[in-house]
Amino acid sequence: MKVEIWSDIACPWCYVGKARFEQALEAFPHRDQVEVVHRSFELDPGRAKGDTQSVISMLTKKYGMSEAQAEAGEDNLGAQAAAIGLDYRTRGRDHGNTFDMHRLLHFAKERGRQDELIQLLYKANFAEERSLFSEGDERLVELAVAAGLDADDARKVLADPTAYADEVRADEREAAQLGASGVPFFVLDRKFGVSGAQPAEVFQQALTQAWGERPPLQLIDQGDADACGPDGCAVPQK
């Protein structure tokens, strides 16, 4: 079974939702047969690279809330993250463009290190004091190396703005086609969608239902044909 997760590194509910989904997946009896793929979704695609601001400032300007309301929202997120064992800095974080991170995640997917990299990006953005946005490409290279990727290869990807750009845009178009207007958005076997950072119990139900409704294998039988089995291979006699 395949689970696709549309998310953005700047999205706190994606950080929390990924952890809740993984709790459900850990308890799922067929977890070893579930492939998880991370898809790209930018919450702030119009923001220029290098244009950073504090999260509290971004929230007040984007949603028209007061600073006290923005801080209360961050405190609530921090409490929900802590409830599932995640570190979350409620003050001092910044916000910026995530396009290069998504490009790097597609590169990591090709190398089989996508989940490792996205987890490190989330941790860097939500739990660590160093900025994920204001230190330039070398900060992303550092995290790519920690995820098991080659530093020079990661630098080449980041230096070429066209590298994996089409893959990011394709993910975003597909999200729109599937009706995802926000993230996290989970799609199970292209049959079931789960929107938002749902409780682990909801993800458990979705995994169970999606697994149970997988169609049985339809065998096309064209008569006896040569094949190999436990007793060896039948060799035609001349």
Side-chain angles (χ1 to χ4, degrees), residues 128-143:
E128 297 178 359
E129 290 188 11
R130 290 177 62 190
S131 170
L132 189 59
F133 298 98
S134 63
E135 294 191 25
D137 289 350
E138 281 306 303
R139 174 69 165 135
L140 298 183
V141 171
E142 176 187 313
L143 294 170

Side-chain angles (χ1 to χ4, degrees), residues 23-46:
Q23 282 185 341
L25 185 61
E26 182 63 28
F28 187 56
H30 308 289
R31 60 185 177 275
D32 292 340
Q33 299 177 61
V34 177
E35 176 191 7
V36 178
V37 177
H38 298 282
R39 301 292 190 192
S40 300
F41 190 107
E42 294 173 276
L43 290 174
D44 201 356

Side-chain angles (χ1 to χ4, degrees), residues 6 41-43 172 174-185 195:
W6 271 263
F41 190 107
E42 294 173 276
L43 290 174
E172 293 174 336
E174 196 163 19
Q177 292 166 359
L178 291 169
S181 58
V183 285
F185 188 68
S195 180

Side-chain angles (χ1 to χ4, degrees), residues 28 43 94 125 155:
F28 187 56
L43 290 174
D94 59 4
N125 187 39
R155 286 191 188 95

Side-chain angles (χ1 to χ4, degrees), residues 157-197:
V157 170
L158 293 168
D160 179 2
T162 67
Y164 301 96
D166 289 345
E167 287 82 350
V168 175
R169 298 305 181 211
D171 277 358
E172 293 174 336
R173 286 193 301 271
E174 196 163 19
Q177 292 166 359
L178 291 169
S181 58
V183 285
F185 188 68
F186 302 77
V187 176
L188 290 74
D189 260 357
R190 289 299 171 108
K191 292 180 64 178
F192 300 95
V194 179
S195 180

Side-chain angles (χ1 to χ4, degrees), residues 42-76:
E42 294 173 276
L43 290 174
D44 201 356
R47 183 178 290 271
K49 181 177 179 178
D51 177 13
T52 64
Q53 68 181 129
S54 74
V55 167
I56 297 298
S57 174
M58 180 273 293
L59 291 171
T60 59
K61 292 178 180 178
K62 185 172 184 178
Y63 299 107
M65 60 177 63
S66 69
E67 185 172 314
Q69 288 173 320
E71 290 177 347
E74 283 294 283
D75 290 340
N76 176 53

